Amino acid sequence: MSRFFIPPLLPIMFTLLGMLVHYTFWRIEPFSTLWATVCGMLLIVAAVSVAVLAFRTFSRHGESVAINVPTVTLMNEGIYAISRNPIYASFLLSVIGIGCILNSAAVILAVIPTFILMNWYWIAKEERYLYRKFGAEYKEYARRVRRWV
């Protein structure tokens, strides 16, 4: 499953499912349109900014963010000194931002299954890999830097 089910597909899949729910049978619009649009756009800008910072950190070390490419360097500086998973955090911000722009409770709530699968499947899997690869260095990093923020 993990070979074909890459992490960006989770937020895309659950966002689309939330849109389907919203536009077919559960059209709950919790915010005023202007407020929702502004908040959603700010969240999308924040998500893109966090992702760019994470990609730049990988790029500075000559590393790839691709999940099928073994890592050589433990990312622990820049945005990775604040969060061990800034790219995944940017995915979650994006789901909420899209939900706000669409003013859709169903899309906003799509962040819940996205978070659950990321937190307890993908991140747990990656942490096991990083612990095996970097040992005490990763253990110290994980002690110092929170999983999310």
Side-chain angles (χ1 to χ4, degrees):
M1 177 178 163
S2 64
R3 179 179 222 181
F4 300 104
F5 200 65
I6 57 174
L9 290 180
L10 286 172
I12 293 168
M13 180 182 71
F14 286 116
T15 300
L16 292 174
L17 183 61
M19 290 170 70
L20 178 68
V21 168
H22 177 79
Y23 290 114
T24 56
F25 62 88
W26 200 59
R27 195 175 186 103
I28 295 179
E29 298 174 338
F31 309 115
S32 72
T33 307
L34 178 61
W35 187 87
T37 302
V38 170
C39 286
M41 292 176 83
L42 290 172
L43 286 167
I44 296 293
V45 167
V48 169
S49 299
V50 167
V52 165
L53 290 171
F55 291 139
R56 282 186 180 168
T57 301
F58 268 81
S59 179
R60 269 196 312 275
H61 291 280
E63 290 280 348
S64 171
V65 295
I67 61 169
N68 60 341
V69 177
T71 188
V72 177
T73 307
L74 178 64
M75 298 300 135
N76 58 10
E77 62 184 44
I79 193 84
Y80 286 91
I82 299 167
S83 169
R84 295 194 319 257
N85 297 286
I87 295 171
Y88 292 140
S90 74
F91 292 162
L92 298 177
L93 289 172
S94 295
V95 172
I96 297 169
I98 292 167
C100 287
I101 290 169
L102 296 175
N103 197 11
S104 168
V107 175
I108 293 169
L109 291 173
V111 78
I112 296 170
T114 304
F115 171 80
I116 289 170
L117 285 173
M118 280 185 179
N119 197 53
W120 285 288
Y121 178 71
W122 278 109
I123 292 173
K125 180 179 172 183
E126 287 181 3
E127 286 179 341
R128 287 190 301 272
Y129 165 76
L130 292 169
Y131 184 72
R132 282 192 312 273
K133 178 113 180 163
F134 297 106
E137 182 184 6
Y138 181 75
K139 188 174 182 179
E140 170 57 25
Y141 171 64
R143 185 197 62 73
R144 212 176 55 252
V145 178
R146 295 177 57 96
R147 180 179 270 183
W148 291 100
V149 178

